[in-house]
Amino acid sequence: MPDLSTRLGKLNLKNPLILAAGILGTNADLLKRVVESGAGAVTTKSFSINKRKGYENPAVIELIENRQKIGLLNAIGLANPGFEKFKEEMEKFKSCNLDTKLIASIFGTIAEFPKLAGMCENYADAIEIDVSCPHVDDSISKNPKILKNLTGEIKGLISKPLIVKISPNVTDIKEIAKAAIDGGCDAIAAINTVKAMKIDINFGKPILANKFGGYSGIGIKPIAVAKVYEIYSMMKKENLDVPIIGIGGTTTGEDAIEMLMAGASALGIGSVIHYREIDVFGKILNEMDEFMKEHNYKNIGEIKGIAVE
Ligand SMILES: Cc1cc2nc3c(=O)[nH]c(=O)nc-3n(C[C@H](O)[C@H](O)[C@H](O)COP(=O)(O)O)c2cc1C
């Protein structure tokens, strides 16, 4: 049997599949179902200190181009009920003592991020900062200096692992990843959604209430693979070894293997749940297991980064 366990710094995961932020991560019961489906770790939906209303509908649509289902476009606007409600859900989830890890995804201003990270650290196994949502404010993930300082400030405050989730909507993602690493992050999550738009040609208007949204799902997989590859390649050249959570379009076990080959240590699983149901985690794990047996790979370490020169 191939060994699917992996490590994100101090965090040991029984397998590399992590529920990505924003999909089903709103309450303990849903998170529990994802764990029962086989996830190695789960991420909450991003939440802020105070509740946020988000945008009007339509906020999420399925993208169909030339009759092909190519993914989802969302501009939810990080609607969430705020820290106190998430605290209750994280406590409820933790009280189930499941064999998994809980990642709290947080969102805020430069001043709020460190405060919220401190507020959350007793309720989760790791903190992920969402500085990269393309339909809200992703300015932090576009400014290496600010990102490095913010990462350093949060690291100085918390003892739990810190994951920085970065954006593909930048000129050079390597520079942004390097800033997070220089700030001392324990892992990089790449990528958040790709800024995109869909226009309804019958009305001559963008469909989403927010006009722009974040594109996710199968269509962004090649973009995510390229970004993970670029980051891993930069780290190799600079002798750095910070784990990458590869996120974007993973739909099958073969996709997961491809992301590992580009340099990921673990994988975020998001939009595919819409297409393959909540038990997709077990399905992807079986597909990975089959591929690894067929190709004689014994563990994730033998696959990680092998495509990177
Ligand atoms: C409906 C929806 C909501 C999302 N909400 C968040 C969020 O709250 N925080 C975040 O960091 N990313 C959020 N994302 C981005 C995902 O975590 C992930 O980075 C992206 O969807 C790419 O992965 P995928 O192609 O597997 O879905 C959201 C994505 C979708 C589709």
Side-chain angles (χ1 to χ4, degrees):
M1 280 291 272
D3 175 9
L4 285 170
S5 67
T6 190
R7 287 188 56 176
L8 289 179
K10 284 187 281 181
L11 279 193
N12 289 319
L13 306 188
K14 65 183 175 196
N15 71 60
L17 304 190
I18 304 176
L19 173 73
I23 297 110
L24 299 179
T26 46
N27 68 55
D29 292 334
L30 283 171
L31 288 171
K32 223 176 125 193
R33 282 183 62 195
V34 172
V35 175
E36 282 158 7
S37 154
V42 288
T43 314
T44 65
K45 175 164 181 54
S46 300
F47 59 89
S48 38
I49 295 179
N50 300 310
K51 78 169 181 215
R52 277 176 66 94
K53 190 169 169 287
Y55 301 129
E56 300 297 323
N57 286 325
V60 188
I61 57 167
E62 173 151 44
L63 288 175
I64 300 173
E65 302 288 346
N66 194 23
R67 299 194 191 90
Q68 306 285 321
K69 292 182 175 179
I70 61 160
L72 304 176
L73 185 65
N74 95 83
I76 293 176
L78 295 174
N80 78 86
F83 168 73
E84 282 302 326
K85 177 74 183 124
F86 269 91
K87 185 181 108 175
E88 276 171 32
E89 296 298 332
M90 290 190 288
E91 278 179 320
K92 193 171 157 195
F93 179 81
K94 277 289 183 192
S95 70
C96 301
N97 280 321
L98 301 171
D99 177 21
T100 192
K101 297 289 185 300
L102 175 64
I103 302 169
S105 171
I106 61 170
F107 168 79
T109 61
I110 293 177
E112 287 166 347
F113 266 119
K115 191 174 164 199
L116 185 53
M119 287 158 80
C120 292
E121 93 150 322
N122 291 337
Y123 306 103
D125 300 298
I127 309 291
E128 180 171 288
I129 55 169
D130 172 12
V131 289
S132 48
C133 196
H135 48 84
V136 187
D137 176 13
D138 60 357
S139 56
I140 298 173
S141 85
K142 289 183 168 154
N143 186 321
K145 205 169 153 207
I146 293 178
L147 183 61
K148 179 182 159 191
N149 290 343
L150 178 65
T151 306
E153 188 183 344
I154 300 174
K155 272 302 285 180
L157 287 172
I158 64 169
S159 54
K160 294 272 167 71
L162 176 64
I163 304 164
V164 177
K165 180 154 180 193
I166 60 175
S167 169
N169 309 306
V170 293
T171 311
D172 184 0
I173 199 166
K174 300 190 292 299
E175 196 191 356
I176 306 298
K178 179 73 169 49
I181 294 169
D182 288 346
C185 75
D186 298 279
I188 303 270
I191 55 176
N192 210 315
T193 51
V194 178
K195 187 172 181 179
M197 179 183 276
K198 176 73 184 167
I199 292 173
D200 183 333
I201 56 168
N202 294 309
F203 293 99
K205 283 196 170 101
I207 297 182
L208 291 180
N210 185 54
K211 298 185 179 69
F212 292 96
Y215 177 27
S216 63
I218 190 72
I220 70 164
K221 201 194 84 186
I223 301 173
V225 168
K227 299 295 177 196
V228 169
Y229 188 106
E230 279 189 285
I231 298 167
Y232 189 76
S233 164
M234 173 275 289
M235 289 202 291
K236 239 178 125 173
K237 276 193 200 106
E238 306 215 7
N239 262 325
L240 299 166
D241 186 17
V242 174
I244 305 168
I245 304 171
I247 317 173
T250 296
T251 301
T252 64
E254 286 78 8
D255 296 339
I257 299 283
E258 191 179 344
M259 199 71 92
L260 295 173
M261 287 183 174
S265 292
L267 308 143
I269 301 295
S271 303
V272 64
I273 296 169
H274 173 73
Y275 298 94
R276 296 187 73 188
E277 314 281 324
I278 201 165
D279 58 354
V280 66
F281 292 86
K283 293 177 191 162
I284 294 180
L285 286 174
N286 284 340
E287 290 157 5
M288 289 177 79
D289 187 76
E290 241 168 68
F291 179 91
M292 287 170 74
K293 274 187 203 142
E294 209 177 298
H295 294 81
N296 222 4
Y297 288 116
K298 289 179 201 63
N299 54 53
I300 300 287
E302 287 184 359
I303 304 174
K304 183 180 140 186
I306 63 164
V308 182
E309 310 262 295

